[in-house]
Amino acid sequence: MGFKCGLVGLPNVGKSTLFTALSSLPVERAKFPFSTIEPNMGIVPVRDERLYKVAALVGIEKITPATLTIIDIAGLIKGAGKGEGLGNRFLAHIREMDLLLHVIRGFQAPDVPHLAGEPNPIRDIEIINLELILADLAFLERKREKVFRNAKSKSREAQLEKELVEKIYEHLNNGKPARSLILSAEEKSVAGGWQLLTMKPEIFVVNIDEKDLSVGESETVRSVKRLSKKTSTPVISICASLEAEFEEMEEDERAVFMEEYGLPDTGLDRLIKTGYDYLGLITFFTVKGKEARAWAVKKGTVAREGAGKVHTDMERGFIAAEVIDWEELIKAGSLTEAKEKGSIRLEGKDYLLKDGEVVLFRFKV
Ligand SMILES: Nc1nc2c(ncn2[C@@H]2O[C@H](COP(=O)(O)OP(=O)(O)O)[C@@H](O)[C@H]2O)c(=O)[nH]1
Ligand SMILES: [Mg+2]
């Protein structure tokens, strides 16, 4: 599992188009709000050249890439946070995500209506942010009742919860997202369990016009970048309609097309890279039996925890990890040769896993 992300944004900004492009799942699209009625979930394999090279070297055919989960929900509209819009029902689904993909309309299309007349990126972002803040406020109001009841017990945890609810509520009430509030590690871990929407990391995804690809950065992209500087929010530009065409093509056809457009990578590639970096994820590989597989874990994951990703038995009965960087393995020519050369290291349970390592866990059950 890589990470799970949820698309948010005003209606008609291209969320469903992007979703279809990224997940290659056909969803109904139409030129009116609420064209996406049920949340759509797409599981996207993370293309990783390294995994294929390693698998080929050790002669394994079954390749299981890491995956990215994307959900598309109905467009948020003003009042969705308070249950006035259709969007409210869908906010629950985003609560389970690791990351928000905030889609902003950067394309001009007179035939595609915009909720507030003309697209205006800064105002559009504010509308969505406000809806998410309102949804979190509503959530905290419900939470508050429970927390107040518990706080009568005078336990330290209950007191902390109570104070934390008030602190975050106050912050949101000032129109600020929860993620901009500075919290102690303990507070973070308590609030983290609440799945607040505005606490989730977000990436701005500007859905640009096809013509902007040749013209260069549009004013919309520039203004989103200026805004994002204040919060260090990553910004990526994607042309959703073009991405949709890419995903329908065969690999080689796509390569030709991308070269014509002068694109070094697809929007999906960029999204994955940005998401991994922003969430602090790294990838390690396992080659065991008939399967080569990629695993995405948080930076800072130690060998024993990594083993637990693969199987709980492996974590419990962890003995050691045999580790080699994927490129070194390729250079060695085979696992056996790598072993003979002494390039495979034996590491203990507290070993910090690194990006691109091939790991073989030794364990007893
Ligand atoms: N011209 C243009 N139209 C787009 C683009 N992306 C989406 N659209 C159109 O905008 C309309 C709304 O798109 P949709 O993906 O349903 O938006 P959603 O409401 O955010 O899910 C559809 O008619 C799309 O074909 C784009 O990059 N360029
Ligand atoms: Mg939609």
Side-chain angles (χ1 to χ4, degrees):
M1 187 61 98
F3 56 89
K4 295 187 284 184
C5 51
L7 293 160
V8 296
L10 288 175
N12 281 354
V13 295
K15 296 184 298 300
S16 297
T17 308
L18 193 61
F19 174 82
T20 313
L22 300 185
S23 64
S24 311
L25 273 184
V27 286
E28 203 191 317
R29 254 168 298 155
K31 285 176 188 164
F32 52 85
F34 312 130
S35 59
T36 321
I37 304 297
E38 284 302 322
N40 288 278
M41 185 181 287
I43 312 278
V44 188
V46 174
R47 286 181 207 136
D48 191 330
E49 280 288 306
R50 301 173 297 180
L51 176 63
Y52 288 83
K53 287 183 181 158
V54 167
L57 184 88
V58 296
I60 288 178
E61 273 174 30
K62 186 173 181 221
I63 295 172
T64 310
T67 55
L68 185 73
T69 304
I70 299 185
I71 60 164
D72 179 29
I73 57 157
L76 284 172
I77 58 153
K78 264 177 122 80
K82 287 186 283 187
E84 288 164 20
L86 250 181
N88 185 45
R89 196 149 60 84
F90 304 105
L91 288 175
H93 296 282
I94 336 178
R95 289 202 186 282
E96 291 152 32
M97 301 294 112
D98 305 311
L99 177 73
L100 304 181
L101 298 178
H102 190 152
V103 184
I104 298 134
R105 180 155 157 181
F107 67 88
Q108 304 289 335
D111 59 326
V112 180
H114 187 273
L115 187 77
E118 283 285 294
N120 169 336
I122 306 304
R123 180 210 51 205
D124 292 357
I125 288 173
E126 272 167 14
I127 294 176
I128 295 300
N129 282 346
L130 186 62
E131 285 314 315
L132 298 175
I133 286 172
L134 289 171
D136 279 349
L137 281 168
F139 172 86
L140 285 181
E141 269 161 28
R142 292 192 299 273
K143 184 96 198 153
R144 184 190 255 158
E145 287 173 31
K146 205 175 134 217
V147 164
F148 266 65
R149 248 181 284 130
N150 292 346
K152 291 198 185 105
S153 75
K154 298 265 190 283
S155 82
R156 206 182 95 76
E157 289 80 30
Q159 289 301 325
L160 180 97
E161 271 206 319
K162 182 173 172 247
E163 280 159 29
L164 192 55
V165 166
E166 291 314 315
K167 190 165 160 181
I168 300 177
Y169 192 91
E170 170 81 20
H171 186 78
L172 293 167
N173 220 9
N174 287 326
K176 294 182 212 145
R179 72 175 79 80
S180 68
L181 182 64
I182 295 164
L183 298 173
S184 71
E186 191 182 22
E187 288 174 325
K188 254 187 213 152
S189 106
V190 172
W194 298 344
Q195 302 279 45
L196 293 168
L197 298 170
T198 65
M199 187 107 63
K200 294 187 188 298
E202 75 175 335
I203 293 179
F204 290 141
V205 180
V206 188
N207 183 12
I208 58 169
D209 252 327
E210 208 168 304
K211 67 170 169 44
D212 292 336
L213 290 171
S214 47
V215 175
E217 213 163 69
S218 68
E219 183 44 41
T220 306
V221 175
R222 279 201 294 272
S223 55
V224 172
K225 281 192 175 165
R226 274 195 298 275
L227 179 80
S228 70
K229 270 217 180 97
K230 290 180 213 155
T231 49
S232 308
T233 308
V235 182
I236 52 177
S237 317
I238 284 186
C239 177
S241 49
L242 194 63
E243 293 290 331
E245 288 176 39
F246 284 164
E247 295 307 315
E248 279 171 17
M249 295 176 185
E250 298 294 327
E251 289 278 340
D252 41 353
E253 190 188 356
R254 184 191 303 140
V256 172
F257 210 76
M258 282 172 63
E259 201 171 326
E260 258 170 45
Y261 273 90
L263 299 170
D265 47 12
T266 66
L268 179 58
D269 296 331
R270 274 198 306 286
L271 178 68
I272 288 170
K273 173 145 194 354
T274 310
Y276 269 60
D277 286 350
Y278 198 44
L279 295 174
L281 297 176
I282 57 160
T283 307
F284 72 84
F285 309 106
T286 53
V287 284
K288 187 87 177 79
K290 290 191 172 72
E291 190 187 31
R293 189 161 176 173
W295 305 86
V297 291
K298 280 253 176 211
K299 222 176 268 168
T301 297
V302 294
R304 192 181 173 158
E305 293 167 328
K309 269 262 169 185
V310 181
H311 202 288
T312 45
D313 280 350
M314 285 194 177
E315 182 165 8
R316 232 178 291 131
F318 182 93
I319 299 169
E322 290 178 76
V323 183
I324 181 169
D325 178 69
W326 80 277
E327 258 182 320
E328 253 186 77
L329 175 59
I330 301 286
K331 265 189 235 151
S334 73
L335 276 171
T336 323
E337 278 171 81
K339 208 165 266 176
E340 277 165 10
K341 271 193 187 167
S343 321
I344 299 182
R345 287 167 284 128
L346 199 63
E347 304 283 0
K349 62 177 173 32
D350 296 324
Y351 172 73
L352 270 182
L353 293 169
K354 288 174 202 67
D355 189 51
E357 284 176 337
V358 179
V359 186
L360 180 78
F361 295 108
R362 284 205 203 149
F363 66 105
K364 60 171 187 309
V365 276

